[in-house]
Amino acid sequence: MLLNKENRIKYLGFDDFWFTVIGILILSFSAAYVFNNAFENLNTSEALLVWGISLFFSIFDWFINRAILIRLRKKYPNIKDSANRIVVLFFATAVTVFVVDFLGHHFFSLFFEEVTYNFQERTKSLVFVIFLTIMTMAIYEAIYFYLQLKKSIREEEQSKQAIVQAQLDALRNQAQPHFFFNTLNTLRDIIDQNSKEEAKEFVDKLSDIYRFLLESGNANLISLRDELKFAKAYIHIQSERFGDNLQLNWNIPEASLNAMIVPMSLQLLLENAIKHNVISKAKPLTVYIHIKDDYITVDNKIQAKSTQLPSTKVGLKNIEKRYALITEKLIEIVNNENQFSVSLPLLKTSEQ
């Protein structure tokens, strides 16, 4: 597993090759230094032999504890299991160091008569080695915990995004039937007041608008440029019905056209203005669309109808909810009983 990079990353969360090599060297030198009183009274060859034996012990300690750590991660993989995993790991580390030290000395006693084992004399030094080994395993655990925490946060964020996306899809799908409902009302008026040919032309243009809706796909934001095309196509249809009695005053600078906006939001505002106000030769309606402080505003003089068409009460609420799911910027609504205006935030491309 040390030589297989994919396995190292899979089970440990990072490539620990050099961490292992350097860690074993440090552990072996530290253990040799402690057990032999800073190499006092040892010549160079003896010091190298002592260090070599310490290296042997350190390699076994490291890889046995590393294998236990991997085994525990398979058994207790989640953050909520961290306490159980860490307690068992630290206990196993202490036991491993004692067992490796005991068995190792008995192994070397087969080749070196002077090698003896005195548990009491070695206890203090073994505690130091256990401490170093536990600190090493703690580094492994700290890295693993950090990676698991990042993964958990990422999964939680993805879950939240999925929920938000589902809500946006529902609201977007809600807006389209709302548009369809109101255009049918318009078509009914045209059939009542105009010729069959004009009604046919209206249906043809309505078909073009629905083609635009299909082509816009499932985007949560589109450019203001595209939304304006859609809104103007919608107004063109309404002009068939109202003629010069409906006037639109567009004041949109070129620099704002690449800003992002919620799809169908501008069209819904224009639709509401037409739906809820008197539009006649005696009372023409002028709707102003302009940009101010990164907001696009639609406002008109209130000319309330004496009788209202049936309303789904979807338009403004739908826009508010969709903006709320995408940005912290709020839409602004002003109704002073004389003038009605709604301002929509213009967003950045990065918020798509």
Side-chain angles (χ1 to χ4, degrees):
M1 196 174 293
L2 179 64
L3 299 178
N4 189 314
K5 183 177 179 180
E6 289 184 4
N7 280 339
R8 292 198 300 272
I9 295 173
K10 177 181 177 181
Y11 291 109
L12 299 171
F14 71 107
D15 184 358
D16 74 328
F17 179 84
W18 288 110
F19 179 70
T20 297
V21 172
I22 295 171
I24 288 175
L25 291 175
I26 293 173
L27 183 62
S28 63
F29 181 80
S30 300
Y33 187 86
V34 170
F35 278 114
N36 294 278
N37 299 316
F39 297 111
E40 288 181 3
N41 304 319
L42 295 180
N43 57 38
T44 302
S45 59
E46 289 173 332
L48 286 174
L49 177 62
V50 167
W51 175 75
I53 293 173
S54 180
L55 180 63
F56 174 85
F57 281 89
S58 297
I59 289 172
F60 273 88
D61 279 336
W62 189 286
F63 282 103
I64 291 173
N65 282 304
R66 188 171 174 272
I68 293 171
L69 178 145
I70 291 171
R71 178 66 180 173
L72 288 173
R73 286 185 182 176
K74 291 179 180 179
K75 187 173 182 179
Y76 304 109
N78 301 318
I79 289 180
K80 65 180 181 180
D81 302 321
S82 295
N84 292 334
R85 187 176 62 249
I86 290 170
V87 169
V88 175
L89 175 63
F90 288 173
F91 176 77
T93 298
V95 172
T96 298
V97 172
F98 275 112
V99 171
V100 169
D101 184 72
F102 177 78
L103 295 178
H105 271 80
H106 280 74
F107 173 76
F108 281 109
S109 67
L110 299 176
F111 304 96
F112 305 98
E113 293 182 359
E114 63 273 20
V115 174
T116 59
Y117 189 80
N118 188 317
F119 179 77
Q120 290 183 340
E121 289 180 359
R122 297 182 66 79
T123 299
K124 186 181 291 186
S125 299
L126 280 172
V127 169
F128 176 76
V129 174
I130 289 171
F131 175 77
L132 282 181
T133 307
I134 286 177
M135 288 302 98
T136 302
M137 294 300 108
I139 293 173
Y140 271 117
E141 277 299 298
I143 294 172
Y144 183 72
F145 183 82
Y146 171 73
L147 293 173
Q148 286 293 95
L149 186 61
K150 276 183 65 177
K151 180 183 177 183
S152 176
I153 292 172
R154 185 169 60 249
E155 288 175 349
E156 183 179 356
E157 187 62 30
Q158 288 172 346
S159 177
K160 288 180 180 178
Q161 287 177 355
I163 293 170
V164 168
Q165 187 60 53
Q167 291 173 321
L168 282 166
D169 290 343
L171 288 168
R172 185 172 52 247
N173 293 334
Q174 183 187 57
Q176 292 181 9
H178 175 267
F179 170 71
F180 184 62
F181 174 83
N182 287 329
T183 49
L184 285 179
N185 284 327
T186 302
L187 179 58
R188 183 193 62 187
D189 290 344
I190 289 177
I191 292 171
D192 287 342
Q193 301 170 15
N194 302 87
S195 68
K196 185 185 294 186
E197 290 304 315
E198 288 175 315
K200 287 181 180 179
E201 186 179 356
F202 177 90
V203 172
D204 290 340
K205 290 179 179 178
L206 185 59
S207 175
D208 291 338
I209 288 180
Y210 270 96
R211 185 178 297 111
F212 173 85
L213 290 176
L214 291 172
E215 290 174 353
S216 65
N218 296 321
N220 296 322
L221 291 173
I222 62 172
S223 70
L224 179 58
R225 187 189 309 275
D226 290 338
E227 179 68 11
L228 283 172
K229 288 179 182 177
F230 176 51
K232 288 181 178 180
Y234 170 75
I235 290 300
H236 185 74
I237 285 179
Q238 296 302 321
S239 296
E240 295 290 327
R241 176 184 175 191
F242 297 106
D244 294 336
N245 298 327
L246 175 63
Q247 297 291 327
L248 276 291
N249 189 317
W250 305 91
N251 186 8
I252 310 294
E254 182 73 24
S256 300
L257 294 180
N258 291 325
M260 307 300 285
I261 191 172
V262 168
M264 294 185 70
S265 55
L266 182 57
Q267 178 273 326
L268 279 171
L269 296 183
L270 296 174
E271 186 177 308
N272 281 348
I274 293 169
K275 181 179 177 182
H276 296 295
N277 290 280
V278 173
I279 306 175
S280 65
K281 192 170 184 180
K283 279 191 171 183
L285 179 69
T286 302
V287 182
Y288 299 88
I289 305 97
H290 57 92
I291 304 288
K292 184 179 180 182
D293 298 331
D294 293 326
Y295 278 77
I296 182 167
T297 300
V298 176
D299 67 72
N300 60 271
K301 182 180 178 181
I302 296 175
Q303 301 175 174
K305 294 180 177 179
S306 57
T307 58
Q308 292 284 347
L309 287 171
S311 175
T312 58
K313 301 189 181 297
V314 167
L316 280 177
K317 289 182 180 179
N318 181 284
I319 298 170
E320 283 182 313
K321 288 178 181 178
R322 283 196 283 164
Y323 264 103
L325 290 169
I326 293 173
T327 180
E328 294 180 357
K329 296 178 181 178
L330 302 176
I331 74 171
E332 298 174 0
I333 303 172
V334 178
N335 184 353
N336 60 13
E337 297 183 358
N338 181 49
Q339 201 80 9
F340 186 82
S341 72
V342 181
S343 298
L344 305 177
L346 295 177
L347 306 177
K348 296 179 181 179
T349 306
S350 58
E351 293 177 88
Q352 169 63 38

